[in-house]
């Protein structure tokens, strides 16, 4: 009797199970470390969930001003909640904004309360922060109702298009036009360098460089504009931004409160490509993912970035390894399969023989390893040369791989990649490319079956085997994943655990540490 095929790649279930077991072993110590530490960004996110908004005359957010004074008086290791709500209970101020203003002026001294005072502060802080989390819950229900009422995208993969002029008031009409042309998801890229700012700017902004600042007001403005477009078009339009960098937890909280639908949120991107301290990143990403889980937000991970610095053939297994780790970290934080927009990309040098077959193998491997995840398929960038005709063809091949392998989220490739920031006309042509391929291919992915033991099946199984070997080597390190990151295992970037930006904003939790947001999110 012949053996029944196990999917198009005939992946061995025992090997797949082993891969996830290794990912758990690699990831578990990181989660343990994350649970034992807090950061200034986690504490500021807690204040934002409690309703603290606004900034001083210099543009410094009140959450930063208040956090800095609390930290100077009582330390970061106990958290911000007990000192702040103790001060409110003692009558130092009537509300958080006034308390932040007085603290900034030097007229408030914070203490770490004990006994009944500590109990009173815990109760009050949980009640106020709970209102912010309830707002996130309400926005999630609101999204579900709008999708039911308006309708959803007519097909998968969802067509994902980037808008980023630097000016939110220019982004809005471009985003609305993209929706009219068929985009299902609008991503607003952040201004260059925002991930390295240890504060979230306030208000509507018009001065971003190669992107638009992520602010609560910008989120609100774009959300309202896309809701209007969705009403006109008869389908819900999703909004994406970036929960990464030094303010990852805060931006996640703001996204949940303003009903964003997707957030770029990778476990290692900030470490590798922004030199943010590894411990800071892992602590922040766990909290942010708990918020995303609560908000019903789909995360997009950044494995595609590895292939912009490392060779897409030699490093293919590092993408698979990172996807498995991102899955483990995400599920541990409460995210479900439908929220895992795991990233991968079409980045093999087109001059390499059989490059298209290898791209198919890698994309199909991701699809079959994570069958219930809405994978995010990224277009060619590294080998785009400025030849717009060649680029348009490459994007067509990329779109075809997406159609053949049933990807969930397809980022629209631009033929002007590496030339200019796209014009609206460039986006229109790129969307035409996507529409043609998707309409022409139809249900082609149902008919496409690679030859058993042929090139595609062999290559996919080779990459999966190399991923298992890599995780085995990671486990041999004294400090596991942290040592592997320091050695340059991912994306060729060497990032030691005791260095990097934001390290001074990390503290090991004390025995009396309390955070009402973490407590509520852990209960979910």
């Amino acid at each position: 009797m012949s053996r029944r095929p196990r999917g198009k790649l005939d992946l061995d279930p025992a090997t797949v199970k082993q891969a996830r077991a290794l990912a758990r072993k690699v990831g578990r110590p990181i989660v343990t470390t994350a649970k034992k530490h807090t950061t200034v960004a986690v504490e500021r996110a807690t204040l934002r969930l409690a309703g603290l908004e606004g900034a001083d005359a210099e543009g410094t957010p009140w959450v930063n001003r208040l956090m800095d004074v609390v930290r100077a008086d009582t330390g970061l290791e106990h958290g911000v909640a007990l000192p702040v709500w103790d001060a409110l209970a003692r009558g130092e101020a009537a509300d958080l904004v006034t308390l932040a203003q007085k603290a900034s002026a030097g007229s408030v001294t914070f203490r770490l309360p004990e006994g009944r005072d500590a109990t009173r502060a815990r109760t009050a802080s949980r009640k106020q922060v709970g209102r912010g989390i309830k707002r996130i819950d309400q926005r999630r229900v609101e999204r579900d109702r709008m999708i039911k009422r308006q309708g959803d995208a007519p097909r998968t993969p969802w067509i994902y298009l980037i808008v980023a002029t630097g000016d939110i008031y220019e982004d809005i009409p471009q985003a609305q036009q993209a929706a009219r042309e068929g985009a299902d998801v609008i991503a607003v890229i952040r201004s260059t360098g925002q991930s390295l700012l240890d504060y979230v700017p306030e208000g509507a902004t018009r001065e971003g460089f190669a992107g638009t600042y992520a602010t609560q007001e910008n989120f609100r403005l774009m959300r309202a504009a896309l809701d209007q477009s969705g009403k006109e078009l008869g389908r819900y339009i999703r909004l994406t931004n970036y929960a990464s960098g030094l303010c990852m937890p805060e931006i996640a909280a703001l996204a949940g409160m303003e009903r964003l639908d997707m957030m770029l949120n990778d476990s290692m991107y900030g470490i590798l490509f922004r030199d943010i301290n590894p411990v800071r990143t892992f602590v922040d990403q766990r909290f942010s993912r708990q918020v995303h889980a609560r908000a019903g937000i789909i995360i997009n991970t950044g494995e595609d970035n590895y292939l912009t610095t490392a060779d897409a053939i030699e490093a293919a297994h590092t993408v698979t390894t990172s996807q498995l780790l991102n899955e483990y970290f995400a599920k541990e934080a409460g995210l479900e399969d439908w929220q895992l927009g795991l990233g991968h990309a079409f980045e093999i040098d087109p001059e390499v023989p059989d490059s298209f077959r290898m791209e198919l193998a890698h994309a199909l491997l991701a699809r079959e390893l994570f069958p219930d995840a809405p994978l995010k398929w990224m277009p060619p960038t590294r080998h785009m040369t400025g030849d717009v005709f060649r680029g348009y063809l490459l994007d067509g091949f990329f779109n075809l791989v997406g159609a053949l392998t049933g990807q969930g989220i397809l980022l629209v490739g631009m033929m002007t990649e590496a030339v200019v920031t796209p014009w609206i006309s460039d986006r229109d042509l790129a969307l035409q490319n996507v529409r043609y391929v998707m309409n022409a291919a139809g249900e082609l992915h149902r008919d496409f079956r690679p030859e058993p033991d042929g090139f595609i099946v062999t290559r996919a199984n080779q990459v999966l085997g190399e991923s298992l070997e890599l995780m085995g080597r990671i486990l041999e390190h004294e400090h596991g994943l942290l040592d592997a990151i320091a050695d340059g295992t991912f994306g060729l970037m060497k990032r030691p655990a005791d260095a990097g930006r934001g390290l001074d904003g990390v503290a090991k939790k004390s025995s009396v540490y309390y955070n009402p947001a973490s407590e509520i999110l852990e209960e979910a």
Side-chain angles (χ1 to χ4, degrees), residues 4 51 82 104 157 248 265 309 327 342 382 396 459 512:
R4 183 179 179 182
L82 294 180
S104 183
M248 189 189 305
N265 184 251
T309 53
E327 179 193 50
L342 300 172
R382 184 177 183 179
R459 174 61 184 169
V512 295

Side-chain angles (χ1 to χ4, degrees), residues 49 129-143 252-259 290-297 521:
L49 288 168
V129 171
R131 286 199 288 267
I133 294 177
K134 185 178 180 181
R135 179 179 172 185
I136 290 175
D137 293 341
Q138 291 169 339
R139 300 312 299 266
R140 178 173 182 168
V141 170
E142 185 179 59
R143 179 195 300 115
L254 296 177
M257 290 190 286
E258 298 301 333
R259 193 173 30 88
Q290 289 179 312
V291 173
H292 291 143
R294 186 81 180 218
I297 287 173
L521 293 169

Side-chain angles (χ1 to χ4, degrees), residues 36 53 61 85 102 138 150-151 157 166 173 190 201 213 216 276 324 346 359 390 403 406 417 420 426 438 492 503:
K36 291 180 179 179
E53 299 178 5
W85 272 269
K102 291 180 69 175
Q138 291 169 339
Q150 292 181 356
R190 290 191 305 188
Y213 285 102
Q216 185 169 10
I276 297 174
L324 288 161
F346 188 96
E359 296 285 18
R390 177 179 180 271
E417 181 75 40
V420 295
D426 298 338
M438 293 301 158
L492 304 180
L503 175 59

